[in-house]
Amino acid sequence: MRIAFNARILQAPRTGIGHYVAELAMALTREPDVHLSLFHGWGWSSQLPQAAMPGYSRLGPLLRQVPGAYRARRWLEQKRFDQRRSQVIDLYHEPSLWPLAFDGPTVMTLHDLTHLRYPETQPPARLREIERRLGHAVEQARLILTDSQFIADEVRQHFGLPAERLRVAPLGISARFHPREPEAIDGVLKAHGLEAGRYLLCVGTLEPRKNLSLALRAHAALPESVRQAFPLFIVGMSGWQQAQLNAELKSALADGHVCLAGYLPDEQVAQLLAGARALVFPSRYEGFGLPVLEAMASGTPVITTRCSAMPEVAGPAGNYCEPDDPQELREAMLRLIEDRQHWQACRAAGLQQATLFSWERCAKLTAAAYRQALGG
């Protein structure tokens, strides 16, 4: 099967969908009947880019300010995409929201319906483009992949699709996420002023949907001695409407028991996950919640919300709270800090839960969707 795979998102610093594209593409190369051609927005390659395009982080704000910029970029990408048409492509896979035009069979991945559930978290110009294109894209796709059953059910109900047009392919775990001895991560932790097992970690883009304010309020409610011994360490790049967090975040940072690290390289994040007392992931809405899986695979207990796909990923290993209940999150933090037996049980349960997920399985399910879309 000759597959055109849109890897344009890898021009940006990698967050959830970027990791999905990179890991799935690598895993698909191990499927014997799958031959990928990777489209990078401006051309084609058989190789994944090793790093984001220089200056890409400045492109988003620029697109939001220039009228028609999203459509203009889209037009240019379509022209570049069509230049490949001299070579035969059996199927096109769009792994990130809206497909380019293609007159053959298309498979698309819908990771979530954030634009419907939380439209205020999207830049207006981008939201208008999604609304303009997505309905037609869903109609044209032969099969739609989702990361979780929760999102498959949402997509089916919202678009009125038959169940046979949807396939669930849960995400996997990169090899860098595994338990590590304290001495193996000591250098990275010391560089950030941390000690193994003595901090709580938040990972995610700084935007309202990620609900970081809940973690800040819960941590601030811990006893002073506990906050001093177990600071809250936050890793994530700036997102849309981060200004909503600024006042609360500035207050927490001034308190001295919260640290904002910004965007960090993947290997540093993996080491920080392995060294944390717990991952605090209070998101209101996720199509999967990859940091939850990565933390469990690293031997780190997880506190997350009873929302969307998170219980599907964390399963019985998760510690859960409501997305608007800082007291419940505070108690979950305190228990993992003070109750060593509970911490050990959550660690063991998380490692077991993580074995249910792999990029190899994701790739096999994706390849099976390709075959089905091609009539195999």
Side-chain angles (χ1 to χ4, degrees):
M1 297 181 290
R2 294 160 294 192
I3 310 298
F5 191 84
N6 192 347
R8 183 192 62 78
I9 197 170
L10 298 182
Q11 293 176 352
R14 292 183 191 178
T15 55
I17 297 178
H19 286 301
Y20 165 78
V21 169
E23 295 287 353
L24 177 59
M26 287 190 291
L28 283 169
T29 62
R30 296 189 286 274
E31 291 296 305
D33 61 340
V34 174
H35 304 280
L36 293 183
S37 292
L38 302 174
F39 178 64
H40 295 300
W42 306 107
W44 294 83
S45 172
S46 60
Q47 302 295 320
L48 288 167
Q50 296 302 306
M53 184 177 72
Y56 190 92
S57 59
R58 296 190 293 273
L59 185 59
L62 178 64
L63 289 174
R64 292 196 284 270
Q65 295 173 13
V66 178
Y70 278 98
R71 292 193 185 188
R73 185 179 72 174
R74 191 73 176 175
W75 181 84
L76 286 171
E77 288 175 359
Q78 185 70 59
K79 297 292 285 185
R80 292 285 188 174
F81 183 85
D82 290 341
Q83 289 177 359
R84 183 71 176 192
R85 302 305 296 279
S86 60
Q87 298 189 28
V88 176
I89 293 171
D90 297 318
L91 180 144
Y92 166 45
H93 183 183
E94 173 51 59
S96 179
L97 201 57
W98 60 70
L100 294 157
F102 179 66
D103 57 10
T106 295
V107 170
M108 66 181 294
T109 303
L110 267 179
H111 298 281
D112 56 56
L113 296 181
T114 300
H115 67 287
L116 294 173
R117 302 300 179 222
Y118 294 92
E120 68 278 5
T121 67
Q122 301 287 327
R126 185 172 188 271
L127 182 62
R128 287 193 297 270
E129 196 68 3
I130 293 172
E131 291 172 341
R132 188 170 77 89
R133 292 181 178 274
L134 185 56
H136 177 71
V138 168
E139 182 181 331
Q140 294 300 309
R142 288 200 182 173
L143 279 178
I144 296 170
L145 292 166
T146 66
D147 305 336
S148 63
Q149 188 62 51
F150 173 85
I151 296 299
D153 293 342
E154 273 203 332
V155 171
R156 180 175 54 81
Q157 292 164 13
H158 178 76
F159 290 102
L161 300 176
E164 56 267 23
R165 285 193 58 205
L166 290 138
R167 291 291 177 270
V168 178
L171 309 188
I173 311 157
S174 169
R176 66 180 173 273
F177 297 104
H178 56 84
R180 306 185 189 217
E181 295 298 324
E183 55 270 21
I185 57 176
D186 188 58
V188 166
L189 297 192
K190 280 185 175 178
H192 293 289
L194 301 171
E195 181 183 344
R198 301 282 292 184
Y199 61 94
L200 301 168
L201 181 65
C202 286
V203 175
T205 303
L206 305 184
E207 60 179 61
R209 174 171 62 93
K210 298 297 185 179
N211 204 20
L212 178 62
S213 59
L214 182 74
L216 294 173
R217 293 197 300 271
H219 190 262
L222 292 171
E224 167 68 22
S225 59
V226 175
R227 284 187 291 133
Q228 183 173 353
F230 291 88
L232 183 65
F233 193 78
I234 303 167
V235 176
M237 62 192 298
S238 297
W240 172 247
Q241 289 194 341
Q242 184 187 333
Q244 293 184 15
L245 296 171
N246 282 351
E248 207 164 10
L249 195 52
K250 284 179 181 177
S251 175
L253 294 171
D255 183 57
H257 304 319
V258 174
C259 178
L260 180 61
Y263 183 84
L264 294 177
D266 293 341
E267 177 58 24
Q268 283 197 38
V269 175
Q271 293 190 38
L272 288 164
L273 271 173
R277 185 69 164 198
L279 173 73
V280 180
F281 195 76
S283 181
R284 292 182 177 277
Y285 181 81
E286 297 288 329
F288 189 82
L290 200 49
V292 170
L293 177 58
E294 292 166 346
M296 293 190 301
S298 303
T300 298
V302 170
I303 310 172
T304 190
T305 50
R306 300 182 186 92
C307 292
S308 57
M310 272 82 79
E312 197 173 325
V313 177
N319 296 268
Y320 296 100
C321 66
E322 294 299 324
D324 294 305
D325 192 339
Q327 180 63 25
E328 191 175 20
L329 178 52
R330 173 192 179 276
E331 294 305 317
M333 289 177 175
L334 208 54
R335 188 178 182 193
L336 284 171
I337 289 170
E338 296 181 341
D339 188 339
R340 185 69 181 179
Q341 187 174 357
H342 175 64
W343 185 90
Q344 292 281 12
C346 290
R347 171 185 165 87
L351 287 168
Q352 179 62 36
Q353 179 72 6
T355 64
L356 303 178
F357 301 86
S358 72
W359 286 114
E360 180 184 13
R361 178 176 178 237
C362 183
K364 288 188 180 302
L365 291 168
T366 301
Y370 295 164
R371 295 184 198 103
Q372 183 179 350
L374 288 167

